[in-house]
């Protein structure tokens, strides 16, 4: 499911729940030509995983079923005929309009004014027909959109769309109006791409004499291109389906939190929300019409906040498959490693990169040892590494507590704070400016042999550098 569709579902869910309303799932499958095997399952899976639990729907029933439009097929003809009788719709025998796309191609209104005799003759001859909406030729149709405000459209710009196809199946444009009325839908929330169709829906409500629902159109979601410009969010910007984001290791609650902010601004400065907080704080007044820009960095930050809040046991279980440490020395140290990672990743798939240095020592620049804040130079680093190697070579207890005690003891002996002592150690162990965890964590994770090997290699690297300098 494209995150734009999920955002629409989320806003509908949040609005319904914030008003003590009901969130109804209806499957709109009248365009059988576009039917995709498995697509309905994706809808169920996505809504459930994202926590958008419907109160009524095909799987659980409710007062207004059936909730699958193709199963309601027999209900629509009556309403289409009602409009024909009222002069608001007409039979069209042009044998065009059975495909959903036909309604977008415009229609020359050939059958709009057929005589009663012509119609009856055609019917008697068994000619197939569709029923089209008779759009007023002049005047305007207006409504007050709860996000976009007052909107007025000239009726002359609208086409006589097909309502009922020749096989009796309604078009989406007709079925959604009839069903929204029959199901007592009060608020319609959808993407702004439907703004242009809305007058046709309103004219149908007027023709029936039904009360119109409130309309809430949501701003489009853009993505940022490499050159800084923006365009409609698509695959070239990154993963755009809920499923793909989940596969990359984003949490459903992180994705939901982030997409809630695409077009909606909370009243407070709060940015991290659980679903119940979203429900209590959501309001249509906070929805704006300016396009939203999908920002993967912000998504990562929001998701990282959610990851840092989940139960550590759950994190250990869910993050492990992403770590790819099976059969390595890190497997037995996952508890420790997971505790370091939980607050330091944006998504689960960040894990391999974060821990790669533990599995294989990267090449690094000797100047990483030089650090102003820790008063670390190549000379001081060499001296510290020598002492640490000597001390740890005879270290029997390789527990974190014992390592901390040993390092603290050495720092005290050298008249140093722990930071300046551990800087060169951490660099020699990781070859990185920043690591998940400090020197003691990494000493522990690597184990004695590998840790001492890396410390000696670090010392050798500094020694090489000094030789070069002397030349
Ligand atoms: Zn026609």
């Amino acid at each position: 499911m494209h995150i734009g569709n999920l955002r629409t579902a989320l806003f509908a869910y949040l609005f319904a729940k914030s008003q003590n309303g009901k969130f109804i799932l209806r499957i709109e499958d009248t365009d059988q030509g576009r039917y995709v095997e498995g697509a309905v399952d994706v809808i169920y899976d996505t809504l459930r995983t994202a926590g958008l639990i419907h109160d009524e729907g095909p799987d659980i029933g409710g007062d207004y079923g059936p909730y699958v439009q193709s199963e309601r097929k027999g209900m629509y003809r009556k309403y289409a005929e009602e409009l024909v009788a009222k002069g608001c719709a007409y039979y069209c025998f042009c044998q065009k309009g059975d495909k959903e796309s036909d309604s977008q191609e415009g229609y020359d209104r050939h059958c709009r004014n057929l005589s009663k005799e012509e119609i009856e003759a055609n019917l008697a001859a068994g000619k197939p027909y569709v029923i089209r909406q008779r759009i007023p030729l002049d005047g305007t149709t207006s409504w007050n959109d709860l996000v976009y405000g007052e909107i007025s459209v000239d009726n002359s710009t609208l086409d006589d769309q097909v309502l009922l196809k020749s096989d009796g199946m309604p078009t989406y444009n007709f079925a959604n109006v009839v069903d929204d009325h029959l199901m007592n839908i009060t608020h319609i929330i959808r993407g702004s791409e439907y703004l242009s169709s809305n007058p046709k829906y309103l004219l149908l409500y007027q023709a029936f004499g039904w009360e119109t629902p409130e309309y809430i159109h949501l701003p489009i979601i853009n993505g940022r291109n490499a050159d800084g410009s923006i365009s409609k969010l698509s695959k070239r910007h990154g993963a755009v389906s809920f499923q793909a984001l989940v596969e990359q290791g984003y949490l459903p609650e992180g994705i939901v939190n982030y997409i809630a902010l695409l077009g909606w601004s909370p009243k407070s400065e709060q940015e991290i929300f659980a679903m119940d907080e979203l429900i209590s704080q959501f309001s249509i007044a906070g929805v704006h019409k300016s396009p939203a820009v999908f920002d993967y960095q912000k998504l990562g930050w929001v998701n990282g906040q959610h990851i840092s809040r989940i139960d550590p046991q759950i994190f250990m279980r869910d993050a492990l498959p992403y770590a790819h440490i099976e059969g390595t020395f890190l497997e037995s140290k996952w508890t420790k490693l997971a505790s370091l990672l939980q607050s330091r990743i944006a998504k689960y798939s960040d894990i391999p990169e974060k821990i790669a240095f533990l599995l294989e020592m990267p090449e690094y620049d000797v100047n990483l040892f030089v650090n102003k804040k820790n008063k670390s130079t190549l000379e001081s680093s060499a001296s510290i590494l020598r002492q640490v190697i000597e001390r740890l070579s005879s270290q029997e207890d390789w527990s974190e507590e014992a390592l901390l005690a040993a390092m603290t003891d050495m720092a005290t002996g050298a008249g140093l704070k722990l930071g300046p002592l551990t800087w060169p150690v951490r660099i020699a162990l990781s070859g990185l400016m920043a690591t998940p965890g400090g020197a003691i964590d990494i000493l522990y994770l690597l184990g004695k042999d590998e840790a001492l090997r890396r410390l000696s290699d670090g010392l050798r690297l500094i020694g090489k550098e000094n030789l070069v300098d002397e030349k």
Side-chain angles (χ1 to χ4, degrees), residues 92-94 107 110-111 132:
C92 164
F93 299 93
C94 297
Y107 169 65
H110 177 266
C111 305
R132 289 185 182 272

Side-chain angles (χ1 to χ4, degrees), residues 123-355:
L123 290 177
K127 265 197 178 180
Y129 62 91
V130 300
I131 294 180
R132 289 185 182 272
Q133 184 175 4
R134 188 190 298 271
I135 300 277
L137 298 176
D138 46 24
T140 57
T141 299
S142 315
W143 80 98
N144 185 30
D145 191 276
L146 294 189
V147 171
Y148 283 76
E150 190 72 23
I151 296 184
S152 237
V153 176
D154 285 334
N155 294 333
S156 60
T157 64
L158 308 173
D159 66 330
D160 285 359
Q161 65 175 349
V162 174
L163 304 178
L164 203 74
K165 298 180 224 180
S166 59
D167 63 356
M169 189 67 101
T171 57
Y172 162 77
N173 285 333
F174 187 52
N176 89 81
V177 169
V178 172
D179 287 343
D180 283 345
H181 172 73
L182 295 178
M183 293 182 176
N184 279 331
I185 302 298
T186 56
H187 292 76
I188 302 202
I189 303 187
R190 58 184 159 218
S192 56
E193 67 270 23
Y194 284 96
L195 276 169
S196 60
S197 310
N198 217 40
K200 292 190 271 194
Y201 306 145
L202 286 162
L203 288 167
L204 287 171
Y205 279 98
Q206 286 169 20
F208 282 118
W210 292 341
E211 191 185 342
T212 52
E214 298 285 358
Y215 288 98
I216 297 160
H217 286 86
L218 304 179
I220 59 166
I221 302 174
N222 285 322
R224 197 172 297 285
N225 302 315
D227 65 0
S229 63
I230 57 170
S231 58
K232 194 161 191 273
L233 184 66
S234 68
K235 274 187 182 158
R236 69 194 159 117
H237 298 114
V240 293
S241 79
F242 177 75
Q243 197 57 38
L245 290 171
V246 170
E247 277 165 16
Q248 286 185 7
Y250 292 98
L251 298 177
E253 55 267 42
I255 302 168
V256 165
N257 184 160
Y258 178 66
I259 67 171
L261 302 173
L262 289 174
W264 171 67
S265 304
K267 271 191 197 147
S268 66
E269 298 292 302
Q270 186 177 347
E271 291 188 289
I272 303 303
F273 296 92
M275 186 65 91
D276 57 342
E277 297 173 302
L278 286 173
I279 290 168
S280 66
Q281 300 199 28
F282 186 81
S283 82
I284 293 300
V287 178
H288 41 82
K289 59 185 173 185
S290 50
V293 179
F294 196 96
D295 178 345
Y296 287 90
Q297 273 211 306
K298 181 75 181 277
L299 167 67
W301 178 78
V302 169
N303 197 63
Q305 295 292 310
H306 281 271
I307 286 180
S308 68
R309 285 165 195 219
I310 60 181
D311 181 274
Q313 295 296 324
I314 305 280
F315 177 79
M316 280 178 58
R317 184 196 67 195
D318 291 350
L320 182 59
Y322 290 87
H324 304 300
I325 54 171
E326 249 176 85
T328 73
F329 70 95
L330 286 174
E331 199 173 6
S332 64
K333 299 199 164 147
W334 178 237
T335 306
K336 170 66 184 173
L337 189 53
S339 76
L340 295 175
L341 290 169
Q342 190 172 355
S343 59
R344 291 176 171 87
I345 55 169
K347 56 186 185 297
Y348 289 144
S349 58
D350 291 346
I351 292 175
E353 195 195 325
K354 291 266 183 208
I355 65 174

Side-chain angles (χ1 to χ4, degrees), residues 84-96:
V84 173
K86 284 178 164 169
C88 299
Y90 59 90
Y91 294 146
C92 164
F93 299 93
C94 297
Q95 310 222 19
K96 205 182 153 219

